[in-house]
Amino acid sequence: MAMHMRKTLVALHRAAGSSLKNAETSVDLRHPVPLFMPVRTKKRYFIPPSVGLKDNRTDNLEAKAKTAGIAFRQQYIERPINISCTAGIFDAYIPPEGDARLSTLSKEGLKQRTEQIKQSATSQLAIRKIKEHDSEFVTKEFAERAQELFIEAHHALTQFNKEKLHSLVTERCYPEMTRGNRYKSIRWRFVESLEAPKVVQARCPDMISKGNLYGQVTVRMHSKQTLAIYDRFGRLMLGSEEQPKDVLEYVVIERHLTNPYGRWRLHGKIVPSWAPAKDPIIKTIMIAGPALKPGEEFEALKYEVPKPEAVQWHK
């Protein structure tokens, strides 16, 4: 019995020793299988359909609306238009050549005067139509009001007051006045009036229908003005703030007569074909000069700026 117990203890001792050796050797080994498992082991091929897919289709909406007893709204492809003003100047006034230069005592001046009297017949008919809708319209007083409107519109333009400018200018004239003025500073001033403003032509066109009338009055203004335009860097591009110039302008004022809330607004300007060309814009550019040596001055070289070659162009 004692011998059997001794043999079992020796076997247990050997087994414990072999297990310790295996544990020590297993520390340096890595498990070939990763210790983490992916959450999604296989791809799901079944995709559940969206709820109410058949009801959300936009096909045959008009037919469904008729079956439900609902009046389906008609879809219009036409572009919306603005009828608060006309698209242009109707029967534009043609200024006589040499206006504000020829005296009425000369032969050419008398010819121009007689032609103006002949053309005034259609203007008188238009003035009668305008007075039917605007009882306060008087040609002498209207010319002064048009000049005040012209000055207020240009002051609003220099101050970039869009709300006030929209109330003084029509939708056709607004983009023409504001186009290209971004990042520029405008300095405009009305000095004095050389001649009293006067109405030279009146027209009463209609648009879309015969009863939809518009009043267009052309006012001649001869005045002194100053204009200076600066770029975004503060450099002068056009004109001068100190030197006034004589300006002869033909301004068109328009009103929607059938609209009870309509008002007279600046609509456009007529530039005659014989008018002198505008002053060119002054552009500030850098011309590369000669490379100076150390201690050398530019004035001592007496360098002349090369002139560009003449190139033929067309407009």
Side-chain angles (χ1 to χ4, degrees):
M1 187 69 179
M3 290 293 290
H4 180 69
M5 290 180 67
R6 190 179 293 174
K7 287 180 180 180
T8 54
L9 287 172
V10 171
L12 289 171
H13 182 70
R14 288 176 181 176
S18 63
S19 63
L20 287 171
K21 288 179 181 180
N22 292 331
E24 289 176 1
T25 55
S26 65
V27 173
D28 300 330
L29 296 175
R30 294 183 180 179
H31 204 277
V33 184
L35 299 176
F36 59 90
M37 293 291 291
V39 177
R40 188 172 179 178
T41 56
K42 63 179 180 178
K43 189 175 180 180
R44 295 176 64 188
Y45 291 99
F46 174 73
I47 301 171
S50 57
V51 180
L53 182 62
K54 295 181 179 179
D55 298 335
N56 291 335
R57 289 179 182 175
T58 57
D59 299 338
N60 300 325
L61 284 175
E62 189 173 358
K64 289 181 180 179
K66 285 182 178 180
T67 54
I70 302 170
F72 192 79
R73 187 176 180 181
Q74 188 177 356
Q75 299 293 332
Y76 294 97
I77 307 174
E78 292 86 358
R79 288 178 59 191
I81 61 172
N82 184 18
I83 62 170
S84 61
C85 69
T86 57
I89 298 172
F90 180 79
D91 192 10
Y93 174 72
I94 302 172
E97 189 173 354
D99 194 7
R101 295 179 183 176
L102 298 175
S103 64
T104 54
L105 300 176
S106 62
K107 291 182 180 180
E108 295 179 354
L110 287 171
K111 287 180 181 179
Q112 291 178 3
R113 185 63 180 167
T114 52
E115 288 177 1
Q116 288 177 2
I117 293 168
K118 289 178 182 179
Q119 293 176 359
S120 63
T122 53
S123 296
Q124 292 297 327
L125 294 172
I127 288 170
R128 287 181 185 177
K129 286 185 180 180
I130 291 170
K131 285 183 177 180
E132 290 177 3
H133 296 84
D134 187 4
S135 59
E136 298 179 356
F137 182 83
V138 181
T139 53
K140 293 182 180 179
E141 296 178 359
F142 182 80
E144 296 177 358
R145 285 170 53 196
Q147 190 173 20
E148 293 175 0
L149 179 67
F150 177 80
I151 295 169
E152 287 181 11
H154 280 74
H155 281 310
L157 178 65
T158 55
Q159 296 169 3
F160 296 100
N161 192 345
K162 296 181 180 180
E163 289 78 10
K164 189 175 181 181
L165 191 61
H166 271 294
S167 64
L168 300 171
V169 169
T170 59
E171 286 75 14
R172 174 191 174 270
C173 186
Y174 181 83
E176 293 183 359
M177 290 185 68
T178 57
R179 188 183 293 115
N181 294 341
R182 194 177 184 185
Y183 305 125
K184 292 183 181 67
S185 300
I186 302 171
R187 301 288 182 268
W188 181 86
R189 184 167 58 92
F190 185 86
V191 181
E192 61 178 350
S193 183
L194 299 176
E195 294 182 31
K198 62 178 181 180
V199 176
V200 293
Q201 180 176 287
R203 293 291 182 269
C204 195
D206 52 0
M207 191 171 70
I208 300 174
S209 61
K210 290 185 178 180
N212 192 25
L213 296 175
Y214 297 84
Q216 289 186 356
V217 182
T218 306
V219 182
R220 177 187 180 272
M221 292 190 296
H222 192 201
S223 60
K224 271 190 176 182
Q225 304 173 15
T226 60
L227 174 65
I229 301 175
Y230 299 91
D231 62 2
R232 57 179 178 173
F233 301 108
R235 294 178 296 215
L236 182 66
M237 293 179 63
L238 182 71
S240 173
E241 291 190 49
E242 299 177 355
Q243 184 180 0
K245 287 189 175 183
D246 298 349
V247 182
L248 179 63
E249 293 175 311
Y250 299 91
V251 182
V252 180
I253 314 295
E254 188 185 81
R255 179 183 174 180
H256 192 192
L257 298 176
T258 53
N259 185 8
Y261 303 103
R263 61 175 70 181
W264 291 101
R265 295 186 294 174
L266 191 65
H267 186 62
K269 188 186 292 185
I270 298 171
V271 181
S273 58
W274 47 265
K278 295 181 180 180
D279 297 335
I281 295 173
I282 303 168
K283 293 184 179 180
T284 306
I285 58 175
M286 184 182 70
I287 300 173
L292 299 177
K293 297 179 181 179
E296 193 175 19
E297 294 183 0
F298 180 76
E299 297 177 356
L301 292 175
K302 296 181 180 179
Y303 179 77
E304 293 183 0
V305 179
K307 295 182 180 178
E309 297 179 0
V311 181
Q312 184 179 351
W313 66 281
H314 64 278
K315 190 173 181 180

